Amino acid sequence: MPAIVGAVKVINVSASSIFHIGDVYAMAPKSSAKTYAGGGSFNTGSGIHIQLSDSHTYVNDNDKFDQTIIGT
């Protein structure tokens, strides 16, 4: 059944989003990200005690593409 669409106002479409008007079978946005974190990062919970005297995050990433999502 065809869709009837009235007025549409688009404020912002980010890099990993989809903007589609009308009939569609399936939409599947894909994105990837790389995160660097030092020791003691991403800990969750109550009562966590972390003792780090000197924490460094060394990153040596020579390749240009880690996870390509173009054409998938």
Side-chain angles (χ1 to χ4, degrees), residues 23-49:
D23 298 334
V24 65
Y25 175 71
M27 294 188 298
K30 296 179 175 79
S31 67
S32 64
K34 184 186 294 190
T35 304
Y36 302 109
S41 299
F42 305 119
N43 291 317
T44 58
S46 40
I48 294 177
H49 177 73

Side-chain angles (χ1 to χ4, degrees), residues 50-71:
I50 299 170
Q51 184 175 352
L52 296 172
S53 60
D54 195 13
S55 176
H56 298 281
T57 302
Y58 298 105
V59 178
N60 185 10
D61 191 8
N62 294 328
D63 58 346
K64 296 189 187 300
F65 304 105
D66 290 326
Q67 185 178 14
T68 57
I69 57 172
I70 298 172

